[in-house]
Amino acid sequence: MNAPQSTSTLAPTVKLLINGQLVESKTTQWRDVVNPATQQVLARVPFATPEEINAAVANAKEAFKTWKKTPIGVRARIFLKLQQLIRENMKELAAILTAEQGKTLPDAEGDVFRGLEVVEHAANIGSLQLGELANNVANGVDTYTLNQPLGVCAGITPFNFPAMIPLWMFPMAIATGNTFVLKPSEQDPMVTMRLCELALEAGVPPGVLNVIHGGEDAVNAICDHPDIKAISFVGSTKVGTHVYNRASLNGKRVQCMMGAKNHAIVLPDCNKEQSLNALAGAAFGAAGQRCMALSVVVLVGEAQKWIPELVEKAKTLKVSAGTEAGTDVGPVVSCQALSRVEGLIERGIADGAKLELDGRKPSVAGYEKGNFVGPTVFSGVKPGMAIYDQEIFGPVLCIAEAADIDEAIAFINANPNGNGTAIFTQSGAAARKFQEEIDVGQIGINVPIPVPVPLFSFTGSRASKLGDLGPYGKQVVMFYTQTKTVTARWFDDSTIAHGVNTTISLK
């Protein structure tokens, strides 16, 4: 697939990062990075050539020879410095992110902060990467494990969290002793590049962190390159499945966090006001462009009468540019995304869902060219409707109904995706039943977006995840390391020889 051609020759260019240097690409294929609120061209991003991709991997491979032997304390201190630099530059990072992605400034800071938490966790690598030892497993024999790095690893990140998700990947990979090649989203790579510049300032050596840009060809090159040992991916189910299959066939470790259709069950015993506020925030925040957005609400029993109040909550949210004070819902990332969301709203009407609130074509003074769609609410949504079966990735909330909690759980478990879910209730028994019976990776109990902190691992089930280990937390240390098991016996001059032992036992 060829890159969309840039329409601007005056905008600054996004650089590649190869061997510690910001490099101007020699490509002839460029894409514009566009402010989604104004359509202003902010920069041009290159689609790296095969030679540039190979150079990034080759430098990472060479750097691994020395980086893997770097003392663990040295690695940890780099990430202590990086977290300091991120905190000092938080406002700048958020401003860049808002300009190219469209999030509100507070939400952009939240994007950076959730990535910062993983950087802080990476600074604790000294305890995270410990092996195990069993003393005297046999007479004078000890067995212990070493968790050693793999080599060159790679990450492919999406447009919706251009700070957080790169920070999920390269800090933990590098802290465990690997080197890294990152391919950020070509739609909004600028904040990612600024974070990588800060990583260099923090002390990441040349070649340890490299960045290439591109589309499908770059993704395939990463999947096929023989010197890349592991790939972390976050993005759509279609691309993730392709990455998993192609890279796995090439013998690589792969973790793919993919599409979602996240549900929330609302029981009538919940704290009504608190729950309605949580639903509106989780459904419409970030313009619905979160893989953990609550896009389906299952109202149980008497809670089905709360639809008008939920619609009124949605109507109070301000739609505007992310830089405007008080904005709740910014633009979606591109004109193509806007067209898709509007098309799916039209499909919802055609499929028979009731449009309770139409957010299409909102009036946003001063930003008439922006990619805006306001909060939209459908009721009477059922499987088989396009708005239920597809991930809309916009501020569209679907409402379904269930007679009781058993019907609601069965409804959610019948969906092919298993990324995130939540229940709103004041019943401990109902909450425990929910967490035991639901087949979904992240579960919230009165928490609308249950993304775990880095002490734990981001998970997922069914069509939302491929690969058995998730990003960050304990699982990612396992993903980025190879376990060696060593069984050792040492003899001294007083040891008595017992002759030849032809058995497999240790005595």
Side-chain angles (χ1 to χ4, degrees), residues 43-66:
R44 296 187 301 141
V45 61
F47 277 42
T49 67
E51 293 77 16
E52 290 165 343
I53 295 172
N54 288 336
V57 178
N59 280 282
K61 183 179 180 180
E62 183 64 25
F64 178 67
K65 295 176 182 177
T66 53

Side-chain angles (χ1 to χ4, degrees), residues 63-83:
F64 178 67
K65 295 176 182 177
T66 53
W67 181 246
K68 67 180 179 179
K69 299 177 182 178
T70 301
I72 202 163
V74 173
R75 286 184 260 144
R77 283 190 289 274
I78 287 173
F79 292 100
L80 283 173
K81 179 64 174 178
L82 178 57
Q83 66 87 22

Side-chain angles (χ1 to χ4, degrees), residues 34 63 77 89 168 197 243 263 267 327 331 496 498 504:
V34 177
R77 283 190 289 274
N89 292 275
W168 280 8
E197 290 173 7
V243 168
H263 301 68
L267 299 184
T327 296
I496 301 173
H498 294 286
I504 62 170

Side-chain angles (χ1 to χ4, degrees), residues 176-229:
T176 48
N178 300 283
T179 55
F180 206 76
V181 177
L182 177 64
K183 194 211 84 65
S185 170
E186 64 276 19
Q187 296 189 73
D188 48 10
M190 295 165 61
V191 71
T192 307
M193 292 304 300
R194 184 69 184 116
L195 287 166
C196 292
E197 290 173 7
L198 293 177
L200 296 182
E201 186 178 340
V204 173
V208 172
L209 174 61
N210 304 270
V211 184
I212 61 166
H213 303 289
E216 183 179 348
D217 290 343
V219 169
N220 289 339
I222 289 171
C223 292
D224 295 343
H225 203 291
D227 291 330
I228 292 176
K229 305 301 182 184

